[in-house]
Amino acid sequence: MHPRNRQRKNASAMKLVGALVARFRIAAGLTQRQLAEQACAQPETIASIEQGRRTLLPPLARVLDSLLDTKGTLETAVDNMPEVDLIPAWAEQYMDLERSALALSFFANQVLPGLLQTETYARAVFGSRVPAFSPEEIDTHVSNRLERQEIMRRTLPPTTSFIISEAIVRAPLGGPVVHEETLRHLRACADLPGFALQIMPLDRATHAALAGPFILLETPDYQRIAYTETQRGSQLISDPDEVSILSQKYAMLRTQAHNVEDSKGLLDRLLGEL
């Protein structure tokens, strides 16, 4: 059975919290769209939470408690949910947060973050998947990935920082044509305002994030959340202590990676070698 179709354990807890949100919203005389607008969320997010299909995350729980005058009920319910319900099976919750984030910081050591991928690079990524996606599934995933990049083209885009391994920019994923296109795309992105791209050199003797890639983001209400992925799942991290540890790692990574100007120089040299 495909993981996306598998019933998750403790789903009843998600349904209970969603039912509470719906009850409090109705008591306040608000529609889902009205509550979403006041909470700076998407209407489909509120609907999914109320239906028990999406986890209510602590930052949004606090906002809803304030808007609905529920005296911390929702935050308490979220804090006491079984741990499995606080860990999303896939990345839906992260996508919601990414769309409204004020700032995003990425560390990647294997593949370019989705916001930096060209269409051909994204096709190479999804085409490498085992077990294989069908052509139709690849088209859908690529389309969704490119749609996410809309946030980078906004009049006021989020402040973004990327630290990527030199191995990523040297790997010819998709072949030489795709590789050159990817390097040119990265070089163009590196000159965007509010955008910082740093490359972690391969010859470092120390490394602050050997445990793997992660993302830090800041929400519109100035909450800091982290996101990590593994081979078969993903995890949103809202615990302040855990987010602080990853923030410390990211700060150290920024000192260990090439600075922005040297990273541009490395991309120029790689393009000159092609």
Side-chain angles (χ1 to χ4, degrees):
M1 181 180 294
H2 195 286
R4 285 173 292 184
N5 298 325
R6 186 166 57 231
Q7 181 70 22
R8 297 182 67 205
K9 296 179 180 179
N10 299 315
S12 58
M14 293 172 61
K15 292 180 180 178
L16 175 60
V17 172
L20 287 174
V21 173
R23 175 67 65 89
F24 293 143
R25 172 183 60 77
I26 293 170
L30 297 173
T31 65
Q32 290 177 343
R33 181 170 294 278
Q34 289 170 333
L35 179 59
E37 290 175 353
Q38 293 184 28
C40 296
Q42 297 295 320
E44 56 267 27
T45 299
I46 299 298
S48 294
I49 290 170
E50 291 187 358
Q51 294 163 14
R53 295 187 292 107
R54 181 167 294 179
T55 304
L56 175 61
L57 298 174
L60 182 55
R62 288 189 285 271
V63 171
L64 296 183
D65 273 330
S66 177
L67 292 172
L68 300 173
D69 193 26
T70 46
K71 299 177 174 60
T73 300
L74 296 175
E75 183 179 7
T76 299
V78 168
D79 285 344
N80 289 278
M81 287 175 69
E83 185 66 19
V84 69
D85 283 332
L86 295 176
I87 302 174
W90 303 103
E92 291 183 2
Q93 290 92 341
Y94 168 75
M95 301 303 177
D96 290 336
L97 292 165
E98 184 183 76
R99 280 191 286 269
S100 60
L102 298 178
L104 292 159
S105 300
F106 297 79
F107 167 62
N109 61 355
Q110 190 69 30
V111 67
L112 280 177
L115 294 183
L116 292 181
Q117 294 182 11
T118 64
E119 179 177 353
T120 54
Y121 187 96
R123 288 191 177 279
V125 170
F126 291 118
S128 300
R129 196 246 195 185
V130 176
F133 281 133
S134 70
E136 293 76 16
E137 287 177 313
I138 291 176
D139 287 343
T140 298
H141 284 295
V142 169
S143 177
N144 290 339
R145 178 148 296 179
L146 296 179
E147 184 179 347
R148 282 175 54 201
Q149 298 175 5
E150 179 274 332
I151 66 172
M152 306 291 289
R153 297 188 291 271
R154 293 175 185 166
T155 304
L156 295 173
T159 301
T160 50
S161 170
F162 297 87
I163 300 174
I164 61 176
S165 170
E166 183 178 340
I168 295 175
V169 297
R170 289 189 178 277
L173 185 65
V177 174
V178 174
H179 187 210
E180 180 176 358
E181 180 188 32
T182 299
L183 291 177
R184 294 192 184 283
H185 175 68
L186 291 176
R187 185 60 183 85
C189 287
D191 286 331
L192 293 174
F195 182 107
L197 174 64
Q198 294 179 254
I199 298 174
M200 179 66 75
L202 288 172
D203 60 358
R204 279 207 56 83
T206 60
H207 196 299
L210 294 176
F214 61 92
I215 303 169
L216 298 170
L217 63 83
E218 185 175 352
T219 70
D221 59 348
Y222 308 110
Q223 298 294 316
R224 292 185 66 81
I225 294 175
Y227 177 75
T228 63
E229 286 187 339
T230 65
Q231 287 282 336
R232 299 299 299 145
S234 60
Q235 180 179 8
L236 277 168
I237 303 168
S238 59
D239 180 84
D241 291 337
E242 295 300 322
V243 174
S244 175
I245 289 172
L246 290 174
S247 296
Q248 293 172 50
K249 287 179 180 286
Y250 199 82
M252 185 60 71
L253 286 170
R254 297 200 75 166
T255 70
Q256 295 175 341
H258 291 306
N259 64 31
V260 170
E261 293 305 319
D262 288 345
S263 296
K264 292 179 183 178
L266 175 56
L267 291 173
D268 289 337
R269 290 195 298 275
L270 290 174
L271 282 167
E273 294 171 2
L274 296 176

